[in-house]
Amino acid sequence: MTSFPLPPDHGVVWWLPVPQGGTDWARLERCLNGEERERATRFRFDADRHAYIAAHALVRALLSACDGAVAPAAWRFTVTTHGRPENAADLAGTPPLRANLSHTRRLVAAAVCRGHDVGIDTEDAARGTLTMDLATHFFAPAEVAQAQALPAAVRQDALYGFWTCKEAYIKAVGLGLSLPLDSFAFTLDPATLEPLSIGFAPGSGDDPGGWLFRRLLPLPDHPLVLALRHPRPQRVTISTATLTADALGDMLEGGTGLSTGAGPV
């Protein structure tokens, strides 16, 4: 597998649109461990099983591309008390590689950086399940007010903008939903929905200046947000790449497979 050095001030995001047919899923599944394969069998619907396999194969391929020494199938993971997967300490390197993944039925994504907390979230906005009523119950008041002030035509996109930001952040800090969603608030650019800032409730202990948030749009209805903790966020560069299932399979079997669309954002 082709690898590239990952400096500490750089993050990488890869995504893969999940194909609806004609894919050799066993080819991707071969790099998963026994626990992952067993969990894949529990999904009732093929679409959910395929997205799970693709996401876990993708993060393994990305870790190996950033590491250069550990094969995709060799990565082992531990789980924190709040359920966050982490690379086994003897494989992660120094500083350790940190990774996170997210998936819907139609898109999977993974992010890797070295030595910093990282989280990623993507959502299928076409489902339209987020409403102002839900936002009122779970979002911070400032976020609700900003969404209500936007034109109705973009309001739901804004709700998904807030949601992906919040999910990426709680995945990065590793606390899951034990962290109340209204204990921190994002401000979005009203024109682009790019996250401009984050604020915390008094006593949170977190520093708004220690975070980088980046919004991407891999598919027209799939917003994606990267959250990365760093002491100097302005120094961080992010590169992205789009893969196909066939290209991912080639990478796992020793080819390159990296899309020519890879580049900084």
Side-chain angles (χ1 to χ4, degrees):
M1 171 180 288
T2 298
S3 62
F4 49 86
L6 186 66
D9 294 337
H10 190 71
V12 185
V13 179
W14 285 1
W15 60 74
L16 184 156
V18 182
Q20 300 304 304
T23 297
D24 184 356
W25 292 104
R27 188 185 186 206
L28 303 186
E29 193 174 11
R30 279 194 286 272
C31 76
L32 273 56
N33 63 28
E35 182 179 351
E36 289 169 321
R37 294 182 191 180
E38 193 280 329
R39 185 173 177 184
T41 66
R42 301 180 202 169
F43 289 99
R44 179 179 177 185
F45 299 106
D46 286 346
D48 298 317
R49 180 167 58 255
H50 294 163
Y52 176 88
I53 292 170
H56 285 253
L58 182 68
V59 75
R60 285 173 172 273
L62 179 52
L63 281 166
S64 290
C66 293
D67 173 80
V70 181
W75 290 100
R76 290 179 284 105
F77 305 96
T78 59
V79 179
T80 68
T81 55
H82 291 283
R84 175 194 169 103
E86 293 281 3
N87 296 325
D90 60 323
L91 296 178
T94 305
L97 286 176
R98 308 288 300 279
N100 200 236
L101 60 84
S102 181
H103 57 84
T104 74
R105 285 186 171 186
R106 296 196 293 126
L107 184 76
V108 303
V112 168
C113 67
R114 187 174 290 282
H116 304 291
D117 292 335
V118 64
I120 192 170
D121 187 62
T122 186
E123 300 290 338
D124 187 349
R127 296 177 61 194
T129 53
L130 274 179
T131 64
M132 283 302 307
D133 183 59
L134 286 173
T136 300
H137 282 85
F138 295 107
F139 287 7
E143 294 169 327
V144 174
Q146 186 178 357
Q148 288 175 330
L150 292 171
V154 299
R155 192 170 297 147
Q156 189 167 78
D157 287 342
L159 293 180
Y160 277 98
F162 284 119
W163 182 259
T164 49
C165 285
K166 294 171 91 66
E167 278 284 309
Y169 172 74
I170 64 175
K171 291 170 75 174
V173 297
L175 296 178
L177 292 178
S178 66
L179 182 66
L181 289 174
D182 61 357
S183 66
F184 57 100
F186 284 89
T187 300
L188 304 184
D189 184 311
T192 65
L193 302 183
E194 180 77 18
L196 298 177
S197 64
I198 185 173
F200 300 104
S204 72
D206 209 339
D207 175 17
W211 285 94
L212 169 77
F213 296 97
R214 187 67 52 83
R215 173 184 166 89
L216 303 165
L217 201 62
L219 296 176
D221 50 10
H222 269 73
L224 180 154
V225 170
L226 170 75
L228 194 154
R229 192 200 300 265
H230 194 281
R232 296 183 181 89
Q234 67 277 7
R235 294 179 54 181
V236 176
T237 57
I238 305 295
S239 62
T240 68
T242 304
L243 274 71
T244 65
D246 287 343
L248 177 58
D250 290 343
M251 292 189 71
L252 296 171
E253 293 176 356
T256 59
L258 183 61
S259 166
T260 56
V265 294

